[in-house]
Amino acid sequence: MALSLRQKQTQCIVRMLNLNQPVASGGTADEEVYKVLILDKFCRDILSPLIHVKDLRKHGITLYFTIDKERQTIPDVPAIYFVQPTSANIERIIVDASRGVYESFHLNFSSSLPRSLLEELAAGTLKSDCIHRIGKVYDQYLEFVTLENGMFSLAQPSTYVQLNDPKAQDKDIEAIIDGIVNGLFSVLATLGVVPIIRCARGGPAEMVASALDSRLRDHLLSKNNLFTEAGSLGSSFQRPLLCIFDRNFELSAAVQHEWSYRPLVHDVLGMKLNRVTVHGDATAAGGGGKGKGAVKSYELDDSDNFWVANSSAPFPKVAEEVELQLSKYKQDVEEVNRRTGGQRDIDLDGQELIGNTKHLMNAVNSLPELTERKKIIDKHTNIATALLSEIKERSLDSYCTTEDDMLAKGSIDKNAVLTILRGKGTKMDKLRLAIIYLLASETTPQAEVEAIESVLKEVGVDLSAFQYVKRIKSLNISLTSSSAGSRNNIVDWAEKLYGQSLSAVTAGMKSLLSGGRQLTMTRTVEALMEARPSPDIETYLLFDPRAPKSSSVVGSHSKSPFKEAIVFMIGGGNYIEYGSLQELAQRQQPVKNIIYGTTEVLTGLELVEQLMELGQKMGLGGLGPSH
């Protein structure tokens, strides 16, 4: 069984768009019904990477609106609502139903509708005498955004700040954990699997694993059980592994600059929901694509074969491939012209005429394919040009190389770092490099750190994020070097000062990268999937929601390796980790299947902004004089 989250979620949405009726193999309902679709912002983002606007008409959707906008009455048409189960959305639905805006209301909630809100809906529609307009109410369990076949986001912003906020109350933390569990439950319900759960001891990872284990156990006892995988797939079915990590486990992967195409497009051009916006004439922009030229927006998903083939490649190879594809395209166009042109003055006999007609037919048939190829080449030429402009403007290649040397090879050249900090690049680029410098080695001489801080101040960088990471690092060193008794005191003090999620598990401080570019997280996932004893995972907890109720178990569980895994990062993930896990899956024999998920997808800049916010909450850092 291959876990295909994108396919499963798309199927659920297509069924919902067809009034939750069985859908024919062609992807549309047997009977054509014209409908209106009403979304809130969150559910619009769920649909955006899966179904293009032009495809909605295939499912009878003639109009779509956001729920918070005023809408005209369309009395003879059924409406499909796809919204989060919130009190504000319930109130709006009651108002729409009481006004008779649509003929019937098919209500689909992205996750389970709580009893209190169901009662609010029933009471409101009864009071307004419009309950007859409510056709059906469905819990869809789609509270997540699928970006690629093997990648999803819960779209829960600022989770890292909220979990690490020193002023966060227990109830705030519990609400965040509950939201994460809700999203993960939706993912598992859509896939129809109950996994074996593994996580490090302590911090948010254990809190989420424990709460998810309880949620799954409770659900498995209910009559309307969404998980029937063992019964339907027979004894050969093997459950997947769910590995849960906390962002503090490997902070460097969320901060570093990256040279591969997909992370670079995300980090530099700000790709959101598989869409990126660049200037059509980026070369005229003169710096970062911010000048003249028409703004163009592009979809980057599995319908783009160039993106599928090259998204993991280093940027220079992508630039070469764009040139190669353009050259091939020109050759093919010339070949079509050669075969169909230049024969006006020649008398053709019957045989030649048939042959020439065939050439013309072939040319006509090849035109759509050539046109599509040219569109894709133009798209990636514009994207690559915009990237190149930013790389030159900010000298991003030197940031990537220096950070890679520090993280992968452990070679730290303080003078090289200082030179780059005084050179090109945005303030955030410089801050990210300085943070990588801190994270790349276990010990950093005080004089070196002061020299780095001094240069950051010179160029006007806010030091709060740098100071925050420095405090966390020194705290982790204290934790790992102290005795058990004093360690407990430090943890108690640290949790009061730094928030609930400070993790004593700091594998990221030692050997951040090993074996070339393999991340610590990837190496840990590999060990967990192989189910072999390993120092990396000997203290990891295990939760099995299908096993008799007991406390979590430390140590390995499965005697055979896992074929499939879901890896989830609390506090913000990125395309660097996703790419690293896909490489791991592809190099296994046979190839394994790994899905990567996170609370939100963050660029390095966005994660550093969250570190900065935490530093400021703790009164650390401040601005340099020339900011």
Side-chain angles (χ1 to χ4, degrees):
M1 181 200 72
L3 299 178
S4 177
L5 190 58
R6 188 184 178 94
Q7 182 186 353
K8 291 276 182 79
Q9 192 180 29
T10 304
Q11 286 170 353
C12 291
I13 286 168
V14 166
R15 190 174 64 240
M16 178 189 76
L17 295 178
N18 289 287
L19 304 177
N20 291 288
Q21 298 300 312
V23 176
S25 56
T28 54
D30 293 332
E31 185 184 350
E32 188 75 359
V33 178
Y34 293 103
K35 298 146 287 194
V36 174
L37 178 63
I38 312 297
L39 304 159
D40 61 9
K41 184 184 179 302
F42 186 89
C43 292
R44 186 186 65 196
D45 288 352
I46 292 173
L47 257 63
S48 178
L50 299 175
I51 294 183
H52 297 158
V53 171
K54 65 180 186 294
D55 295 326
L56 287 174
R57 194 167 286 274
K58 290 180 191 171
H59 306 290
I61 304 296
T62 52
L63 296 166
Y64 72 96
F65 304 100
T66 51
I67 193 168
D68 55 347
K69 295 287 187 289
E70 283 300 320
R71 286 163 273 121
Q72 290 183 328
T73 301
I74 312 176
D76 299 325
V77 175
I80 298 167
Y81 280 70
F82 181 38
V83 294
Q84 284 188 293
T86 66
S87 190
N89 283 339
I90 293 293
E91 283 176 26
R92 192 66 203 231
I93 289 165
I94 293 166
V95 168
D96 289 350
S98 65
R99 286 175 49 214
V101 179
Y102 309 112
E103 179 187 54
S104 59
F105 290 66
H106 298 257
L107 307 181
N108 298 271
F109 294 98
S110 56
S111 62
S112 183
L113 181 67
R115 186 171 183 84
S116 59
L117 289 181
L118 184 61
E119 288 171 355
E120 190 181 321
L121 175 67
T125 49
L126 272 171
K127 188 178 177 183
S128 307
D129 193 25
C130 59
I131 198 164
H132 60 280
R133 292 201 178 101
I134 307 298
K136 289 283 180 73
V137 179
Y138 294 93
D139 293 338
Q140 291 290 358
Y141 296 102
L142 295 171
E143 189 94 347
F144 59 95
V145 178
T146 306
L147 298 165
E148 307 222 2
N149 285 333
M151 184 178 185
F152 69 91
S153 163
L154 301 187
Q156 296 176 358
S158 299
T159 308
Y160 185 78
V161 170
Q162 291 163 358
L163 288 171
N164 288 277
D165 187 343
K167 296 185 175 67
Q169 303 292 313
D170 284 353
K171 62 176 173 41
D172 300 328
I173 299 296
E174 284 166 13
I176 295 157
I177 297 298
D178 190 53
I180 295 169
V181 168
N182 196 32
L184 279 174
F185 183 86
S186 288
V187 170
L188 298 173
T190 301
L191 290 170
V193 295
V194 179
I196 305 288
I197 305 169
R198 300 298 300 269
C199 69
R201 187 191 289 278
E206 183 180 351
M207 293 164 78
V208 168
S210 178
L212 181 61
D213 176 63
S214 297
R215 174 90 185 265
L216 287 167
R217 284 178 184 279
D218 291 345
H219 182 79
L220 289 169
L221 295 173
S222 68
K223 287 178 184 175
N224 300 321
N225 182 359
L226 296 166
F227 305 98
T228 55
E229 82 284 64
S232 61
L233 292 165
S235 57
S236 64
F237 173 78
Q238 188 198 33
R239 289 158 62 194
L241 180 70
L242 170 59
C243 312
I244 302 177
F245 294 94
D246 168 30
R247 184 68 274 161
N248 284 331
F249 172 75
E250 191 169 19
L251 203 52
S252 60
V255 175
Q256 71 186 90
H257 293 84
E258 174 59 44
W259 203 226
S260 299
Y261 193 33
R262 180 167 42 209
L264 202 56
V265 170
H266 178 237
D267 194 22
V268 175
L269 301 179
M271 177 171 68
K272 295 271 184 210
L273 297 171
N274 298 344
R275 181 172 281 277
V276 68
T277 301
V278 297
H279 287 262
D281 185 13
T283 49
K290 298 180 184 73
K292 297 174 185 175
V295 174
K296 295 194 176 181
S297 187
Y298 298 116
E299 296 276 355
L300 292 169
D301 56 25
D302 54 8
S303 65
D304 179 340
N305 53 15
F306 185 93
W307 178 250
V308 171
N310 296 284
S311 56
S312 302
F315 178 66
K317 283 192 176 176
V318 174
E320 285 174 19
E321 188 61 27
V322 170
E323 288 290 328
L324 186 65
Q325 292 293 336
L326 184 58
S327 174
K328 278 184 186 171
Y329 166 79
K330 286 177 178 173
Q331 284 175 9
D332 290 347
V333 169
E334 282 172 15
E335 178 65 15
V336 169
N337 289 336
R338 187 182 66 74
R339 289 188 168 197
T340 57
Q343 300 190 28
R344 286 176 190 164
D345 301 326
I346 299 172
D347 291 327
L348 298 172
D349 62 24
Q351 209 51 40
E352 286 175 324
L353 187 61
I354 291 167
N356 196 53
T357 305
K358 278 184 179 173
H359 287 319
L360 282 168
M361 290 295 290
N362 289 338
V364 169
N365 291 335
S366 66
L367 282 174
E369 188 260 342
L370 284 169
T371 306
E372 190 56 36
R373 273 170 62 191
K374 184 64 165 65
K375 256 197 240 173
I376 288 176
I377 291 165
D378 287 348
K379 176 205 291 192
H380 290 282
T381 301
N382 281 338
I383 291 171
T385 307
L387 284 175
L388 192 60
S389 178
E390 287 278 352
I391 288 165
K392 286 180 180 173
E393 181 81 4
R394 293 158 58 184
S395 192
L396 290 177
D397 49 337
S398 60
Y399 284 92
C400 290
T401 305
T402 307
E403 289 170 8
D404 192 58
D405 285 346
M406 289 194 286
L407 291 169
K409 299 166 190 170
S411 57
I412 296 176
D413 183 344
K414 182 199 72 172
N415 292 327
V417 172
L418 292 174
T419 302
I420 294 171
L421 291 179
R422 288 194 177 100
K424 289 181 178 180
T426 65
K427 290 175 183 178
M428 275 296 189
D429 288 329
K430 294 172 183 185
L431 182 54
R432 287 165 68 180
L433 174 65
I435 289 170
I436 293 295
Y437 162 81
L438 273 183
L439 294 171
S441 65
E442 269 185 271
T443 55
T444 40
Q446 183 64 23
E448 282 192 17
V449 175
E450 286 172 4
I452 299 278
E453 285 182 4
S454 176
V455 174
L456 289 174
K457 282 179 184 173
E458 278 175 35
V459 295
V461 173
D462 185 321
L463 290 178
S464 46
F466 186 81
Q467 298 282 15
Y468 178 78
V469 174
K470 193 167 77 169
R471 285 278 186 94
I472 289 286
K473 184 179 173 182
S474 65
L475 200 62
N476 282 328
I477 291 168
S478 303
L479 285 167
T480 50
S481 62
S482 59
S483 64
S486 61
R487 188 180 297 140
N488 289 338
N489 294 336
I490 294 172
V491 171
D492 290 344
W493 167 76
E495 287 197 343
K496 283 174 191 158
L497 186 62
Y498 288 88
Q500 308 290 323
S501 82
L502 185 78
S503 175
V505 183
T506 55
M509 290 301 163
K510 300 177 185 178
S511 171
L512 275 153
L513 291 164
S514 65
R517 290 290 303 157
Q518 192 176 31
L519 301 172
T520 308
M521 183 194 73
T522 308
R523 193 177 67 239
T524 306
V525 169
E526 185 173 18
L528 288 165
M529 287 188 79
E530 285 177 356
R532 286 205 306 258
S534 162
D536 287 333
I537 59 167
E538 62 188 16
T539 61
Y540 272 57
L541 301 173
L542 181 144
F543 297 85
D544 182 356
R546 286 200 180 276
K549 181 68 175 164
S550 62
S551 59
S552 55
V553 182
V554 178
S556 187
H557 169 78
S558 177
K559 291 179 182 173
S560 59
F562 288 89
K563 296 173 186 171
E564 300 184 300
I566 302 161
V567 178
F568 186 76
M569 178 60 76
I570 300 166
N574 52 72
Y575 287 95
I576 296 172
E577 288 174 335
Y578 172 60
S580 179
L581 288 168
Q582 293 309 303
E583 284 171 19
L584 168 65
Q586 290 301 313
R587 70 168 179 265
Q588 301 293 312
Q589 290 299 329
V591 171
K592 293 192 173 177
N593 185 23
I594 301 176
I595 292 173
Y596 173 72
T598 177
T599 42
E600 63 177 324
V601 182
L602 295 174
T603 63
L605 182 147
E606 289 166 339
L607 192 277
V608 171
E609 283 175 342
Q610 294 198 26
L611 291 172
M612 195 178 283
E613 189 179 338
L614 286 166
Q616 288 164 353
K617 281 175 183 283
M618 294 172 59
L620 298 171
L623 298 173
S626 61
H627 186 79

